[in-house]
Amino acid sequence: MEKKKNTSPIQMNDFKLIWRVISKNWYIPVLIVPIFYLIGYFYVYKLENVYQASVELLKSNDTYYRGSVITDNSFYSTARSYVDNSNEIRIITSYDIMDETVKKLKGQLQVSYYLSGRVRTTEQFTGTPFSVSVDNINPKLYETPFTLKILDYNQYELKYFLNDVEIKKNGTFNEQLIDVDFNLIINREAGFIKGAAEQLSQLNYQIVIHNMPNLVSKFKQALKVVNPDYTNVLVLTMDDIIPERAILILDTLSKVYINKSLNSRFDINERTISYIDKQLDEVSLSLNDVEDTLEIYKQKNNILDLNWEKEDFFQKLASYDGKKSSLKLQIDAINDLEKYIIEDKDPEFLPPNVYLVSDDQFLMNSVKDLYSLQLQINNQLSFAKDINPHVIESRENVKKLKQSMLVYLNNTRKATFKIIENVDNEIAKYVSDIQSIPPKQREMLNISRKVAVNESLYNFLLQQRANTKIAKATIVPDIKVIDSPRNNGVISPDKKKIMSTFSTIGLAIALLIIIVRSLLFTTIQTVEELKEVTGLPIIADLPFQRDVKNEGFVVDESPNSYITEAFRTLRTNLQYVILGSNRKTILITSNGPGEGKTFTTINIGAILAKGGKKVVMIELDLHKPRIQKALQMNADIGISTFMLGGSVLDEIVKPTVIPNLFTILSGPIPPNPSDLVLSEKLKEIIDYAKANFDYVLIDTPPAGMLSDASYLMQYSDINLLVVNTKYATKSSIQMFEKVVTDNIIQNVYLVLNGVKRKRSKYYYSRYGYGYGYGYGYGYGYNKKA
């Protein structure tokens, strides 16, 4: 019955391959991963924690007085609150706001203090035994570390580098240190007492003096402002290695920002009051003049009073005159506002009399919008250029609003003039009626009318001034701190993640090494592995044993060892190969030196001789002959002397200590070994050996290094390639296969030498003998290898 083919994507060989890779390389990740973990631990230890501090501000529209010029519905209280949150964020993060904040904290921020340890240097914001106050300093010394050494309770030493030259200065605490490079004073703090001076002298301090603009830029960059969706809350955060410093900066920044918003509104209020006071002075002066004129006229003409009808004319005429004066004030306000819009003046110089038309809700809302947009542009220009898209957009909005307002102002002015014209008609009518009154009394009515008009205007201005004063008292910040500055804890570095990353990198490197070793440097250890990389038949494997002699006849000296049993198996396999044929010339070579080629030759010869066969070993490795050394035989004569005519064949064939085993040694090493191999006399030696011995063993140079072995294979019946588990790689086996294919070499068999295993697959594994062997040439390999 035909055996069913295994179509599973995962074969047993795959598991064996994985197990081989793990068993050969398990120690690599075991070593590398802990090393990288320790490197990561040391790296993390040197990192400083970065903390985040935050403060929350609420943008509100609180006010307490609603019957004045300055109310929630007026320009003053809403001009700033009208700005959307994105504009508020730009204002808070502006350079000017941070600059004012840093200037307020100059004494605490300009100098940084550090404590130097053996492994790392840490910054100290509080708790230092001294403080530094800087008056002047050479700009080259900004950001330069000064080493400060406390000598005793009164003295200290200051060291720094300037132009790569170390400079030392000694100073006294609480006294100015004046030098060509700086003028500063170092004061003792409360914790610096005499008893602690000796202990503090063992510590190494550093101070760094900062350039104030650099500090402003640094903290401005560290400041982040976020407006949560659908809220009027602004969350200010700052990251710093010193949480106390971040909290201090956020607290001061919030106060500076709130005060700026208040000051702007107070300035507008004061300008309005100043304008009203000026108008009151003018009206009061005019009123006094008219009243004096009236009194003088009465006395001069002996006029006591008017009758009720004339008084009624007078009151109505005075009412229309007052209305006309108010309308003229509105015209003046409209004209001033139009001039302000056309001339494109700074928003801080908005004409105060614009508030006298506050009953026009559309106009007042438009003024609020214009003021807000202009302030927005001013704030944007503090940190952006004219080409900034936000600035361009704001300017377009201002332009559109101005065009709309100019059209509206023009229409309003026309309408107001029309009303004034109607009022003038009414006044003219009453003036015509008054013509019937006697001249003296009529003149007095005119004067009285002027008094009434000025009194009405004066009362109106007094009311507006009172409202403005009351409004000033009700001005409150539209920004409130709802969550005081606080430390949110460490935000970076994520030490666990960093150490995990280092461990992962170590594991990745270990895996990369394993992959490279597996692909390029892994040697073949077992017959199964050898079968996977080559199609050449494997005739035997020779086990590795530790305590076997490095040279000589192992099969004779240790007859019951694993290695001897392996050679017996090799002999049996060779007999199966040559069964029924005349093939008895065996060539033994290797891919490189040190793989056990000569060792295998000697012991194959010995094991065959012990089987009753007459065997001769021909030492044709004329470059570095090893048989003579392994057998401790004299090589005064041999192949080289025979080829040069100095010896005959019978003289160079020598017996060994093993019965039936003979050797033809190389003789003295010739200057041209490869040329001798090509000599015709070599064929005489091999023909002689074939004629007189049952087995002929030819020991050649390594096939992977010299072409001698390939050439000599024409004389052999069987070719054995000895590969050692120490050096046998996939590439070396494939290279030998290419040589075999290119030269069409027949009857090539592999012998795997140095196999490490706990239990051999052969029957001799039952024996508990422990022996070793090994043999190396030294072609191209260092002696240690």
Side-chain angles (χ1 to χ4, degrees), residues 672-721:
N672 53 344
S674 295
D675 292 340
L676 291 183
V677 170
L678 301 175
S679 173
E680 288 294 328
K681 299 193 86 175
L682 177 61
K683 188 173 184 303
E684 294 181 31
I685 297 174
I686 294 175
D687 290 342
Y688 173 83
K690 288 182 177 181
N692 294 278
F693 294 91
D694 296 325
Y695 288 97
V696 179
L697 306 182
I698 302 175
D699 183 46
T700 73
M705 302 187 65
L706 297 169
S707 61
D708 295 16
S710 301
Y711 177 78
L712 292 171
M713 285 180 183
Q714 64 180 306
Y715 301 114
S716 63
D717 300 318
I718 297 172
N719 301 294
L720 299 183
L721 175 69

Side-chain angles (χ1 to χ4, degrees), residues 308-402:
W308 69 270
E309 183 179 3
K310 297 169 184 175
E311 183 68 24
D312 180 60
F313 282 144
F314 166 75
Q315 289 178 357
K316 289 182 178 179
L317 188 59
S319 172
Y320 280 112
D321 282 337
K323 186 175 181 181
K324 182 178 179 181
S325 297
S326 298
L327 291 171
K328 284 184 176 180
L329 281 175
Q330 290 187 20
I331 291 293
D332 291 340
I334 290 171
N335 291 336
D336 288 344
L337 182 57
E338 184 180 56
K339 181 180 179 182
Y340 164 79
I341 292 172
I342 294 173
E343 293 181 356
D344 196 20
K345 290 187 176 181
D346 189 280
E348 298 294 331
F349 300 101
L350 188 68
N353 60 355
V354 71
Y355 311 113
L356 299 178
V357 294
S358 58
D359 56 334
D360 190 328
Q361 194 62 39
F362 174 81
L363 185 59
M364 288 310 301
N365 287 337
S366 299
V367 171
K368 297 171 196 175
D369 294 345
L370 178 62
Y371 184 82
S372 173
L373 288 170
Q374 288 179 315
L375 283 181
Q376 177 179 329
I377 292 173
N378 284 2
N379 291 326
Q380 289 172 343
L381 291 175
S382 66
F383 60 86
K385 296 183 179 180
D386 287 333
I387 60 174
N388 186 283
H390 295 291
V391 176
I392 294 173
E393 182 183 1
S394 298
R395 288 192 186 281
E396 285 296 322
N397 292 336
V398 167
K399 184 177 179 181
K400 292 177 182 178
L401 182 58
K402 282 184 175 181

Side-chain angles (χ1 to χ4, degrees), residues 621-777:
D621 188 354
L622 301 182
H623 297 268
K624 289 202 173 185
R626 293 296 183 181
I627 292 179
Q628 52 188 277
K629 182 180 178 181
L631 301 183
Q632 299 179 355
M633 297 178 68
N634 189 354
D636 293 340
I637 60 174
I639 295 172
S640 60
T641 57
F642 170 76
M643 289 186 176
L644 296 174
S647 304
V648 297
L649 283 173
D650 291 338
E651 291 178 333
I652 63 175
V653 179
K654 297 180 180 181
T656 66
V657 295
I658 303 295
N660 295 324
L661 181 60
F662 299 83
T663 180
I664 300 176
L665 301 177
S666 65
I669 299 176
N672 53 344
S674 295
D675 292 340
L676 291 183
V677 170
L678 301 175
S679 173
E680 288 294 328
K681 299 193 86 175
L682 177 61
K683 188 173 184 303
E684 294 181 31
I685 297 174
I686 294 175
D687 290 342
Y688 173 83
K690 288 182 177 181
N692 294 278
F693 294 91
D694 296 325
Y695 288 97
V696 179
L697 306 182
I698 302 175
D699 183 46
T700 73
M705 302 187 65
L706 297 169
S707 61
D708 295 16
S710 301
Y711 177 78
L712 292 171
M713 285 180 183
Q714 64 180 306
Y715 301 114
S716 63
D717 300 318
I718 297 172
N719 301 294
L720 299 183
L721 175 69
V722 179
V723 292
N724 196 296
T725 56
K726 290 182 180 179
Y727 312 115
T729 62
K730 181 178 180 180
S731 60
S732 65
I733 299 299
Q734 290 174 342
M735 182 178 68
F736 180 76
E737 270 191 309
K738 187 174 185 303
V739 172
V740 171
T741 304
D742 293 345
N743 293 278
I744 316 177
I745 300 172
Q746 303 294 324
N747 302 319
V748 177
Y749 299 89
L750 301 180
V751 177
L752 184 60
N753 187 19
V755 178
K756 297 177 183 178
R757 53 192 171 187
K758 293 181 180 179
R759 291 183 60 84
S760 173
K761 65 182 181 179
Y762 298 105
Y763 69 89
Y764 52 81
S765 64
R766 298 191 306 272
Y767 298 95
Y769 298 90
Y771 297 93
Y773 71 96
Y775 189 66
Y777 278 96

Side-chain angles (χ1 to χ4, degrees), residues 574 576-586 694-696 716-718 746-747 749:
L574 283 172
Y576 275 112
V577 169
I578 62 177
L579 187 64
S581 69
N582 258 347
R583 295 180 295 176
K584 57 181 181 178
T585 304
I586 303 172
D694 296 325
Y695 288 97
V696 179
S716 63
D717 300 318
I718 297 172
Q746 303 294 324
N747 302 319
Y749 299 89

Side-chain angles (χ1 to χ4, degrees), residues 365-583:
N365 287 337
S366 299
V367 171
K368 297 171 196 175
D369 294 345
L370 178 62
Y371 184 82
S372 173
L373 288 170
Q374 288 179 315
L375 283 181
Q376 177 179 329
I377 292 173
N378 284 2
N379 291 326
Q380 289 172 343
L381 291 175
S382 66
F383 60 86
K385 296 183 179 180
D386 287 333
I387 60 174
N388 186 283
H390 295 291
V391 176
I392 294 173
E393 182 183 1
S394 298
R395 288 192 186 281
E396 285 296 322
N397 292 336
V398 167
K399 184 177 179 181
K400 292 177 182 178
L401 182 58
K402 282 184 175 181
Q403 290 174 346
S404 176
M405 289 180 66
L406 288 173
V407 172
Y408 183 81
L409 287 174
N410 187 50
N411 293 334
T412 302
R413 183 169 45 234
K414 290 180 179 179
T416 306
F417 276 128
K418 189 68 175 175
I419 296 173
I420 292 175
E421 183 180 345
N422 293 334
V423 171
D424 284 338
N425 292 334
E426 292 295 327
I427 291 174
K429 176 183 175 184
Y430 281 102
V431 168
S432 176
D433 292 340
I434 292 174
Q435 295 297 325
S436 60
I437 300 173
K440 291 182 180 180
Q441 293 183 352
R442 187 168 63 245
E443 183 64 26
M444 192 186 76
L445 284 175
N446 289 332
I447 297 173
S448 299
R449 187 185 65 187
K450 292 180 181 179
V451 171
V453 169
N454 281 282
E455 285 179 347
S456 175
L457 183 58
Y458 188 81
N459 290 333
F460 171 75
L461 292 173
L462 281 178
Q463 182 183 0
Q464 296 300 324
R465 190 180 192 282
N467 290 344
T468 306
K469 277 286 188 181
I470 295 172
K472 182 177 181 180
T474 65
I475 293 177
V476 294
D478 56 357
I479 300 292
K480 291 183 178 180
V481 177
I482 59 173
D483 195 358
S484 300
R486 65 183 61 198
N487 180 14
N488 296 331
V490 178
I491 60 165
S492 68
D494 189 340
K495 296 185 177 181
K496 290 184 178 180
K497 184 177 180 180
I498 291 175
M499 293 180 67
S500 298
T501 301
F502 270 89
S503 300
T504 303
I505 292 173
L507 181 60
I509 291 175
L511 293 175
L512 181 62
I513 293 173
I514 291 173
I515 292 171
V516 172
R517 288 185 78 243
S518 300
L519 295 178
L520 302 178
F521 302 105
T522 298
T523 56
I524 297 168
Q525 299 294 313
T526 65
V527 173
E528 288 76 11
E529 293 177 30
L530 187 57
K531 287 179 179 179
E532 291 175 5
V533 300
T534 181
L536 296 175
I538 303 167
I539 197 169
D541 62 339
L542 305 177
F544 171 80
Q545 293 176 244
R546 294 184 179 279
D547 299 327
V548 173
K549 288 175 61 177
N550 292 334
E551 300 173 341
F553 298 110
V554 173
V555 296
D556 186 57
E557 296 171 359
S558 304
N560 295 319
S561 65
Y562 288 163
I563 188 66
T564 300
E565 290 299 332
F567 276 110
R568 291 192 182 108
T569 303
L570 176 55
R571 178 184 63 188
T572 302
N573 292 341
L574 283 172
Q575 289 172 346
Y576 275 112
V577 169
I578 62 177
L579 187 64
S581 69
N582 258 347
R583 295 180 295 176

Side-chain angles (χ1 to χ4, degrees), residues 160-400:
Y160 60 94
F161 282 88
L162 182 62
N163 298 324
D164 297 327
V165 177
E166 186 180 47
I167 301 174
K168 294 183 181 180
K169 300 288 180 182
N170 286 352
T172 302
F173 286 110
N174 299 341
E175 293 184 9
Q176 272 194 319
L177 179 61
I178 301 176
D179 187 73
V180 293
D181 293 322
F182 51 74
N183 180 4
L184 54 82
I185 182 171
I186 300 180
N187 298 308
R188 285 189 297 266
E189 291 296 309
F192 190 174
I193 58 177
K194 285 188 176 181
E198 183 176 355
Q199 183 179 359
L200 291 174
S201 66
Q202 305 299 318
L203 302 176
N204 295 317
Y205 289 97
Q206 284 186 353
I207 61 173
V208 175
I209 301 172
H210 303 290
N211 184 12
M212 296 302 290
N214 290 347
L215 275 182
V216 175
S217 299
K218 172 187 173 183
F219 293 124
K220 180 178 178 296
Q221 187 176 6
L223 177 66
K224 301 292 185 294
V225 183
V226 177
N227 175 213
D229 294 338
Y230 312 112
T231 69
N232 280 334
V233 176
L234 298 175
V235 182
L236 284 63
T237 61
M238 179 171 286
D239 301 342
D240 199 340
I241 59 174
I242 308 293
E244 296 84 358
R245 179 168 58 197
I247 290 173
L248 180 64
I249 293 173
L250 288 179
D251 183 56
T252 308
L253 179 72
S254 301
K255 293 176 181 177
V256 168
Y257 172 59
I258 292 172
N259 288 336
K260 267 192 171 295
S261 67
L262 279 176
N263 291 338
S264 176
R265 296 163 70 188
F266 280 130
D267 288 344
I268 296 174
N269 185 282
E270 289 296 335
R271 286 202 303 273
T272 302
I273 292 176
S274 297
Y275 174 78
I276 294 175
D277 286 342
K278 181 181 177 181
Q279 294 295 318
L280 282 172
D281 290 340
E282 293 177 359
V283 173
S284 177
L285 185 62
S286 176
L287 182 60
N288 290 335
D289 290 342
V290 174
E291 286 178 343
D292 291 342
T293 303
L294 177 61
E295 188 63 31
I296 292 170
Y297 186 82
K298 282 184 177 182
Q299 292 176 1
K300 184 178 179 180
N301 294 283
N302 296 318
I303 298 174
L304 298 176
D305 201 355
L306 300 174
N307 58 38
W308 69 270
E309 183 179 3
K310 297 169 184 175
E311 183 68 24
D312 180 60
F313 282 144
F314 166 75
Q315 289 178 357
K316 289 182 178 179
L317 188 59
S319 172
Y320 280 112
D321 282 337
K323 186 175 181 181
K324 182 178 179 181
S325 297
S326 298
L327 291 171
K328 284 184 176 180
L329 281 175
Q330 290 187 20
I331 291 293
D332 291 340
I334 290 171
N335 291 336
D336 288 344
L337 182 57
E338 184 180 56
K339 181 180 179 182
Y340 164 79
I341 292 172
I342 294 173
E343 293 181 356
D344 196 20
K345 290 187 176 181
D346 189 280
E348 298 294 331
F349 300 101
L350 188 68
N353 60 355
V354 71
Y355 311 113
L356 299 178
V357 294
S358 58
D359 56 334
D360 190 328
Q361 194 62 39
F362 174 81
L363 185 59
M364 288 310 301
N365 287 337
S366 299
V367 171
K368 297 171 196 175
D369 294 345
L370 178 62
Y371 184 82
S372 173
L373 288 170
Q374 288 179 315
L375 283 181
Q376 177 179 329
I377 292 173
N378 284 2
N379 291 326
Q380 289 172 343
L381 291 175
S382 66
F383 60 86
K385 296 183 179 180
D386 287 333
I387 60 174
N388 186 283
H390 295 291
V391 176
I392 294 173
E393 182 183 1
S394 298
R395 288 192 186 281
E396 285 296 322
N397 292 336
V398 167
K399 184 177 179 181
K400 292 177 182 178

Side-chain angles (χ1 to χ4, degrees), residues 2-16:
E2 185 180 354
K3 187 176 180 180
K4 186 177 181 180
K5 186 177 180 180
N6 188 356
T7 59
S8 174
I10 301 178
Q11 306 291 331
M12 183 58 65
N13 288 338
D14 297 329
F15 290 107
K16 291 181 179 179

